[in-house]
Amino acid sequence: SGSGLAGIGNPDPREVAQTGAGVHVAVIDTGLIKNWRDFLIPSRVRTDLARAFMGGGAVAENFVPPDEFNISNPTNLWERDTNSHGIAVASHIIGFKRTAFGVPLVVDGVAPGAKIIPLKVFPNGAAFTWSSRIIGAIAYATELKVNGVVGPLAVNISIGGGSPTFLERVAIQDAIANGLIIVVSAGNGGERGMSWPGAFPEVISVGAVGWTKQFLPGTPAAPN
C-alpha cells in the first residue's frame, strides 16, 4: 500500500517481508497466564528459557537482596500470572489463536516467526515492581546472548516509571553493548513526556497515536 505501516493479522497481507524468523524477543512483563497455550502457539514460546524474577514471590516483598534475585520458586511462576498484561504484549509480537464460528484461526503478530522468552517481574495483581527485578531480567537476557544460548535478541519492556533509575540504565547500556535491541514503551503521558526507561536515549521508544488531542492526559478517557 505504500503507507509504511506493518500489517498485523491474517488474512491481511504483510507489508514487510520480515517475519522475525531466527530472532528471540525477551518479554519483560507480568509473565503468562496459566492457560496461555489456549491463546498462544506453544512453538513460538521458549518455555525452557522463561523465568520469574520474584525471589520466590512474597519473600521478595520484604526486599531481602539475596532472595530478590532468585529466579522463579516454584519454577512455573512465570506462567501463573493473573494480570494478563504479559500475554497481551506477547500476542502483539507473535500473534494468537482463536476459534471463529467453529473454525480455528491464527492471527499473526508483527513478528510471527520470532520466539518469545517470557520474563516475569510483576507480582500478580500488582501494578508496581522493583527496578531490581527489571535489572535482573535484563541481565539474564544479556547472559543468554553472551553465552550463545540465543542468536539475535530483542528485549521488549512495556513498563514505565516516573523517574529514571541509574542502575537500570547501566543494565540497558550493558545489554546494548552486547548486541541486544532494547524496545521500551514511551508511556501514556501524552504531552507530559515519556516515562522511564523509555526516555533513555539508548533505547527504541514506542508509543501509540490517535487523532490530534484525541485523549488529553487526565481526562476520563485517557489511559493511566
Side-chain angles (χ1 to χ4, degrees):
S1 69
S3 67
L5 299 176
I8 300 178
N10 292 330
D12 299 332
R14 291 184 62 83
E15 295 184 7
V16 294
Q18 292 80 8
T19 65
V23 176
H24 283 79
V25 181
V27 181
I28 299 179
D29 213 284
T30 65
L32 301 180
I33 59 176
K34 183 177 181 180
N35 62 326
W36 64 266
R37 291 173 179 81
D38 293 338
F39 303 98
L40 303 180
I41 299 173
S43 62
R44 299 180 183 180
V45 180
R46 288 295 302 265
T47 58
D48 58 323
L49 301 180
R51 297 288 187 274
F53 294 84
M54 301 301 302
V59 68
E61 300 308 315
N62 296 325
F63 202 66
V64 180
D67 293 324
E68 179 69 12
F69 291 97
N70 284 349
I71 60 173
S72 55
N73 181 19
T75 55
N76 64 357
L77 189 62
W78 67 268
E79 57 178 349
R80 291 296 185 271
D81 175 46
T82 60
N83 292 20
S84 299
H85 190 272
I87 194 169
V89 171
S91 67
H92 279 76
I93 300 170
I94 58 173
F96 61 93
K97 58 183 179 179
R98 61 184 292 262
T99 300
F101 303 104
V103 179
L105 182 67
V106 174
V107 180
D108 281 335
V110 294
K115 296 181 184 297
I116 66 164
I117 304 172
L119 301 179
K120 180 179 177 66
V121 296
F122 278 88
N124 288 345
F128 171 85
T129 191
W130 295 106
S131 292
S132 56
R133 295 170 180 162
I134 300 172
I135 293 168
I138 295 172
Y140 170 73
T142 304
E143 289 177 2
L144 292 179
K145 182 71 167 60
V146 171
N147 294 333
V149 178
V150 298
L153 178 60
V155 178
N156 185 93
I157 308 176
S158 294
I159 300 170
S163 59
T165 302
F166 173 75
L167 291 179
E168 197 171 279
R169 187 176 188 182
V170 170
I172 289 172
Q173 291 173 334
D174 182 58
I176 294 173
N178 283 286
L180 280 69
I181 304 296
I182 311 294
V183 183
V184 188
S185 57
N188 300 327
E191 295 177 351
R192 294 195 303 267
M194 293 189 290
S195 55
W196 281 273
F200 290 137
E202 297 90 344
V203 308
I204 298 174
S205 305
V206 180
V209 297
W211 293 288
T212 301
K213 297 186 183 295
Q214 178 184 8
F215 295 121
L216 292 176
T219 61
N224 294 317

